[in-house]
Amino acid sequence: MAAIHVKLFTLFSFLALLFSSSHGQLSTNFYATTCPNLTTIVRGAMTQALNTDSRIAASFLRLFFHDCFVNGCDASILLDDTATFTGEKNAGPNAGTARGYEVIDTIKSQVEASCSGVVSCADILALATRDGVVLQNGQSWTVPLGRKDARTASQSAANSQLPGPSSTLAQLITSFSNKGFTAAEMTVLSGSHTIGQAGCASFRNRIYNQANIDPAFATTRRANCPSTSGSGDRNLAPLDVQTPVRFENAYFQNLVAQRGLLNSDQVLFNNGSQDALVRTYSQNNARFLTDFAAAMVKMGNLSPASGTVTEIRRNCRRTN
């Protein structure tokens, strides 16, 4: 009889952990005793990754955004498809362009070796994203921790909720508003495009057909992006032509000069509601970095819906 009680208690405890309704209250010292070396491990791994691939900081920013915007920051984007499961990796906004999964694998394995079964993949992604920005000269922020990993993902939500490179200003404002962000927060978060690159298919229409673009900039971009759809679609160009691996306000300076690479960039400065803020950021790097850090903390607080089944994954690519 006692053995039955023990088994039932263990089962109920497991279910209570599994069916956590959300992240609960995140805390900056969540792993202080259970994984005290966590931040050191993540920072070291990101330093090594950036030494190998200067794009990885931008890739992590995109992974983090695409994860959090779809049902909260739950590492759902990291789940591989299987014969019985279709996740977010092959959704339109992610397929062939989302990257950095192998670096997550490396960090997770190092963390597991230090403190097994303790740290979520969602927290690793949040910390690594912050460290990537810092390592490319951005401002640091304190990352609240204690997220859990989803046991499922939604390709349809990824396809419908993530804004694309052809988005209008109104569409961007609505998309971010649906997640609880103001238009100003949308604009400062767009500043993540001060690092990274984009494929020709995402900016072809802008450089060949739009009028609100610096002619010399358009000519430069056309050299590596043929006008014919399907030709050179994945040829890359820097989102910030001035300093593509340095996190600062040159992105906004480019918008003022009509050198935004994507339509969704230039609409922020095109005789619209965000023009004044873009101009402010273009002139005040400290203000941009401070506001960006605050908006990233808010982004990281996006939680899975109540009732979401969560866990601490042992492997970020699959459920336990």
Side-chain angles (χ1 to χ4, degrees), residues 198-253:
C200 168
S202 64
F203 60 84
R204 176 182 284 116
N205 181 65
R206 170 149 172 75
I207 63 174
Y208 283 101
N209 300 317
Q210 295 187 357
N212 61 338
I213 187 169
D214 173 66
F217 175 73
T219 299
T220 299
R221 293 281 69 89
R222 289 172 185 170
N224 194 41
C225 183
S227 60
T228 305
S229 179
S231 178
D233 282 2
R234 295 198 176 184
N235 291 351
L236 297 174
L239 288 159
D240 168 11
V241 69
Q242 295 171 260
T243 53
V245 294
R246 184 178 178 87
F247 200 93
E248 28 77 301
N249 65 337
Y251 166 80
F252 296 100
Q253 296 169 1

Side-chain angles (χ1 to χ4, degrees), residues 30-319:
F30 189 82
Y31 299 110
T33 57
T34 57
C35 196
N37 296 324
L38 174 61
T39 56
T40 301
I41 294 170
V42 175
R43 178 63 65 91
M46 282 301 290
T47 300
Q48 185 173 4
L50 269 169
N51 287 337
T52 303
D53 178 4
S54 63
R55 293 175 59 200
I56 204 64
S59 296
F60 266 63
L61 270 170
R62 191 164 185 266
L63 272 183
F64 184 67
F65 168 58
H66 282 210
D67 181 44
C68 293
F69 241 56
V70 180
N71 300 325
C73 306
D74 58 3
S76 55
I77 195 173
L78 304 181
L79 289 170
D80 283 344
D81 288 357
T82 69
T84 58
F85 168 79
T86 301
E88 297 165 21
K89 281 187 175 179
N90 288 308
N94 299 325
T97 58
R99 57 194 300 274
Y101 301 116
E102 294 79 8
V103 178
I104 287 286
D105 294 339
T106 297
I107 299 173
K108 179 64 171 174
S109 65
Q110 293 177 8
V111 170
E112 286 294 301
S114 179
C115 35
S116 180
V118 172
V119 181
S120 67
C121 299
D123 276 344
I124 288 173
L125 179 55
L127 284 169
T129 300
R130 186 272 312 275
D131 287 351
V133 170
V134 173
L135 290 167
Q136 291 199 313
N137 303 103
Q139 178 173 307
S140 186
W141 62 89
T142 301
V143 179
L145 300 167
R147 298 167 187 81
K148 298 293 194 302
D149 301 322
R151 288 178 52 81
T152 188
S154 175
Q155 186 173 106
S156 61
N159 281 326
S160 63
Q161 295 177 17
L162 291 168
S166 62
S167 296
T168 65
L169 179 59
Q171 289 170 333
L172 289 172
I173 290 174
T174 298
S175 178
F176 277 79
S177 177
N178 289 340
K179 302 298 179 180
F181 292 91
T182 66
E185 289 168 333
M186 176 275 293
T187 296
V188 75
L189 286 169
S190 296
S192 62
H193 285 183
T194 194
I195 57 175
Q197 302 186 54
C200 168
S202 64
F203 60 84
R204 176 182 284 116
N205 181 65
R206 170 149 172 75
I207 63 174
Y208 283 101
N209 300 317
Q210 295 187 357
N212 61 338
I213 187 169
D214 173 66
F217 175 73
T219 299
T220 299
R221 293 281 69 89
R222 289 172 185 170
N224 194 41
C225 183
S227 60
T228 305
S229 179
S231 178
D233 282 2
R234 295 198 176 184
N235 291 351
L236 297 174
L239 288 159
D240 168 11
V241 69
Q242 295 171 260
T243 53
V245 294
R246 184 178 178 87
F247 200 93
E248 28 77 301
N249 65 337
Y251 166 80
F252 296 100
Q253 296 169 1
N254 290 332
L255 297 187
V256 172
Q258 294 191 318
R259 295 182 191 131
L261 183 64
L262 308 179
N263 182 75
S264 57
D265 293 324
Q266 195 60 55
V267 294
L268 301 179
F269 191 85
N270 192 39
N271 299 313
S273 64
Q274 300 307 295
D275 282 18
L277 184 57
V278 168
R279 195 177 292 279
T280 294
Y281 287 146
S282 75
Q283 298 168 349
N284 191 332
N285 186 53
R287 167 82 180 275
F288 161 56
L289 294 179
T290 298
D291 289 357
F292 182 83
M296 286 297 288
V297 172
K298 183 172 179 177
M299 176 80 70
N301 286 336
L302 292 176
S303 296
S306 178
T308 300
V309 182
T310 58
E311 64 184 8
I312 304 296
R313 279 184 227 143
R314 291 186 290 269
N315 183 322
C316 293
R317 292 177 178 268
R318 57 178 180 269
T319 62

